[in-house]
Amino acid sequence: MPLPISAEAPPLSRSSLFSRPLPPCDRPRTLSMEYEWKPDEQGLQQILQLLKESQSPDTTTQRAVQQKLEQLNQFPDFNNYLIFVLTKLKSEDEPTRSLSGLILKNNVKAHFQNFPNGVTDFIKSECLNNIGDSSPLIRATVGILITTIASKGELQNWPELLPKLCGLLDSEDYNTCEGAFGALQKICEDSAEILDSDVLERPLNVMIPKFLQFFKHSSPKIRSHAVACVNQFIIGRTQALMLHIDSFIENLFALATDEEPEVRKNVCRALVMLLEVRMDRLLPHMHNIVEYMLLRTQDPDENVALEACEFWLTLAEQPICKEVLCRHLAKLIPVLVNGMKYSEIDIILLKGDVEEDEAVPDSEQDIRPRFHRSRTVAQPHEEDGIEEDDDDDDELDDDENISDWNIRKCSAAALDVLANVFRDELLPHILPLLKELLFHPEWVIKESGILVLGAIAEGCMQGMIPYLPELIPHLIQCLSDKKALVRSITCWTLSRYAHWVVSQPPDDYLKPLMTELLKRILDSNKRVQEAACSAFATLEEEACTELVPYLAYILDTLVFAFSKYQHKNLLILYDAIGTLADSVGHHLNKPEYIQMLMPPLIQKWNVLKDEDKDLFPLLECLSSVATALQSGFLPYCEPVYQRCVNLVQKTLQQSMLHNAQPEQYESPDKDFMIVALDLLSGLAEGLGGSIEQLVARSNILTLMYQCMQDNMPEVRQSSFALLGDLTKACFQHVKSCIADFMPILGTNLNPELISVCNNATWAIGEISIQMGIEMQPYIPLVLHQLVEIINRPNAPKTLLENTAITIGRLGYVCPQEVAPMLQQFIRPWCTSLRNIRDNEEKDSAFRGICTMISVNPGGVVQDFIFFCDAVASWINPKEDLREMFYKILHGFKNQVGDENWRRFSDQFPLPLKERLAAYYGV
């Protein structure tokens, strides 16, 4: 028996909430029958009381209300009461009636399939009869209820709905027409796909021409609904709309200067989408559209301006952008630059007048959820020594707390993409403006100039170089501006020019920039601390070992920040420390540095509970630190190792319980396990053989075997990285499991999941080096997939490189098994490995290819020029490897004879020819 609704109420019977049950469903259902349902007065009062209580701000009351609502859902006619309050109880205040409708909407979402037929029919007829309620709030609520019922698959079971709503559009009564249009707009938003399918016999063929008629309606609200309805069908290129596309565009142009902002906003939105979908139809009018969008981007209504500003972002992605916009840049650039100023409301929302807030604790909603990126194994490259990261950390994220997307951000993003399209051709329009902005006495204007300078950094870098010797010192000065918002944007802009700063003599810019940024890391304003920490992480990535002379000073600052930072910025500080470790590597392994860095990290590590998500960034940070410190991490490794193993074990146990009894056990957050696996990888990589004892005393291999079969790709990805690292560090413990591991690795060579495939491939290569000839039985499990991957068009570079190395290593240990397939992979193999730096992995792979060529020389003949090119990519091969190259090159030359060799080598590009002659005498 459920609890009574309120303490005084008598217990209720299960069959009906109150005295009068619904008519049984087998009676003939006519409208008059449905209207026989009447609420029980006492029950009605209790529900009204409940609705009033649920508007209370007190959370305890809220929770009690939630519980009562759940109990009431057990009564079949509870939902009749809710629709009754919404549509019939005109004596009640509107917020209460609307709330009743919204609770009903949630019930429809959760339990609609369990509603008795009579209840469903009563609700549907009440909705249609009250869509024209005189209150806009009640009309909107009824519309939400209708679309919720429709989206529960009821468009099929409610065949009269669409014809009825479309018919009501012609009503003389404004409320009815507006209510019906509001409901239709919501249905178009929620059910666009099914409306355009055969399931409903394509109602859009009727609806779209009908909507177009209302573009000229006298009421702005109706015009706005009409455009919004049609807009839902642009991106999907709906046939019914494409048939009327010209009349649609013509009608849009007619509304271009509508006095209603909502209409103008929908017109702009339509044109932005048409840009992607029907550029062919807009092209003849492009000049006028651009002029129009320029005006709208300056619309007094901010929502219209924002919608129009999207136009420039979308246009920049179209191949035709340059041709269309070149004549308009002189007008467009000032408009975008002007949009990049903080508005007064932005400054209020950002507490722009609060200069010092470092002692104010963060509220939990300030802290955005973090997502851990699983470990991916990559090869170092010749050009840069660090794999380029496709993660856009430096996007225009200078003020993420205010309504996520606004004119300022959209204008800055548009300028950024246009700078990438027009490159230095943009500068004549920008430089005069920048001169004025950057030195302006008003801080808001100066701040926008610094944002402009950052936004164009990527696209206009070449053209900006002559001005940087003057601009960078000016920006470094701005880092100590008295306004916090100026200091924070300056951090970001300077990070966008970090690459150039690092390319100059360190005393010129790097040292002064670093000194000032470190001061800003200890700023008294939290926003500045955050911006400085992020900018410093970017500088670390660019400068790498250039920072080594300043390590003591840097660590001093970062460690001091630990005691100063509130919750949110601590998470960013971990990232700055981890990036520092990645950038300077083993240079961090000095007793005095370890003494500074490790105590605060371990102190945080001890305070955090196993279920605290703050562990993610801390574990990531420790993973980088352990890899960098190598043996220096030994004193800390045991408790860290143990906790990681426990995190993996806990998560796996929770996962098994959840799979067995999903109702009883929640599914675990697997990120805990992924981050722990990645830190174990960092430990194995940093400590090498010293991890052997820890592995011997734990069940990590059993756990890893389970992780390798997890249904979540990221878990498998991290477990394969760990397998590879443990194979390198302590193969004696891994060897006994190889027979179990290899089939799993083979089934994960699926290039659709790039990172999983990449790490599995790399692990196979590491295992083969350790196994030697014993790898033989496993070759059939993996070779064909690897050859397929290396021949795959458009596969990512990292995957191709790791695949090439693994094929080479397999050929090194089992040449007889792999060499017969040489011809199928030699060309992509050579092109994949020509750009990676000399290192152990490249060495073993090339030994493999040379051994395979000696077994099957015919396999390389057709693609010998590619082999020559790959050999020439070595800067400094070991002596015996150089000898192998020499033999193959001279063997080939002797076999074809001098004349043929000369003809063959004449095809070589000059640098290749010279290099082979100098190093190998061919």
Side-chain angles (χ1 to χ4, degrees), residues 5 17-18 37 39-54 69 72 77-82 85 89 96 99-100 103:
I5 295 183
L17 182 43
F18 304 107
W37 186 86
D40 173 275
E41 195 46 47
Q42 183 196 0
L44 187 58
Q45 287 316 313
Q46 284 188 37
I47 283 184
L48 288 172
Q49 179 60 32
L50 198 58
L51 291 168
K52 295 275 192 285
E53 281 172 15
S54 71
L69 287 174
L72 289 171
D77 58 355
F78 171 48
N79 293 302
N80 284 2
Y81 280 84
L82 292 174
V85 174
L89 210 56
T96 303
L99 183 63
S100 183
I103 292 172

Side-chain angles (χ1 to χ4, degrees), residues 218-402:
S218 59
S219 152
K221 189 92 202 268
I222 304 280
R223 295 197 295 275
S224 169
H225 280 314
V227 184
C229 282
V230 181
N231 280 1
Q232 296 306 319
F233 305 102
I234 299 176
I235 291 294
R237 294 183 166 79
T238 300
Q239 178 83 47
L241 176 56
M242 293 304 128
L243 287 173
H244 298 92
I245 195 76
D246 291 328
S247 118
F248 174 47
I249 291 173
E250 200 178 307
N251 276 305
L252 283 177
F253 289 162
L255 293 177
T257 52
D258 201 282
E259 82 271 10
E260 170 64 25
E262 197 60 25
V263 174
R264 298 199 299 276
K265 185 182 93 176
N266 285 329
V267 169
C268 291
R269 182 172 290 173
L271 290 170
V272 171
M273 291 190 282
L274 286 166
L275 211 46
E276 288 183 54
V277 173
R278 291 308 301 260
M279 177 63 100
D280 58 320
R281 284 297 193 264
L282 297 187
L283 262 182
H285 316 283
M286 213 50 183
H287 178 80
N288 293 341
I289 293 174
V290 169
E291 292 283 329
Y292 172 67
M293 284 301 194
L294 269 168
L295 273 178
R296 287 289 76 86
T297 307
Q298 303 166 78
D299 199 282
D301 184 293
E302 186 169 343
N303 293 319
V304 179
L306 181 56
E307 210 56 67
C309 197
E310 294 280 349
F311 180 82
W312 315 113
L313 265 178
T314 305
L315 183 58
E317 289 164 7
Q318 306 299 323
I320 200 138
C321 173
K322 217 168 173 175
E323 190 185 321
V324 166
L325 275 189
C326 56
R327 301 204 305 279
H328 301 275
L329 285 181
K331 279 187 187 167
L332 172 60
I333 298 306
V335 170
L336 292 177
V337 167
N338 194 40
M340 287 162 76
K341 286 202 300 279
Y342 276 127
S343 67
E344 284 173 29
I345 186 84
D346 289 344
I347 295 168
I348 294 165
L349 287 171
L350 284 171
K351 307 191 179 72
D353 51 342
V354 177
E355 294 303 322
E356 293 194 16
D357 62 357
E358 63 175 341
V360 182
D362 296 328
S363 72
E364 283 311 298
Q365 59 263 40
D366 286 346
I367 298 162
R368 283 193 288 185
R370 291 184 80 270
F371 299 101
H372 171 71
R373 272 218 316 246
S374 313
R375 199 175 173 96
T376 308
V377 186
Q379 296 302 323
H381 282 166
E382 212 33 81
E383 326 77 82
D384 50 1
I386 205 156
E387 174 68 2
E388 73 275 10
D389 195 355
D390 54 1
D391 190 34
D392 237 339
D393 273 342
D394 60 351
E395 60 195 59
L396 300 156
D397 202 11
D398 54 307
D399 41 29
E400 79 291 339
N401 297 355
I402 49 180

Side-chain angles (χ1 to χ4, degrees), residues 689 692-693 701 726-727 729-737 770:
E692 184 271 326
Q693 280 294 297
L701 290 162
L726 289 179
T727 298
C730 52
F731 187 63
Q732 65 271 40
H733 296 301
V734 179
K735 189 168 184 183
S736 59
C737 308
Q770 301 289 341

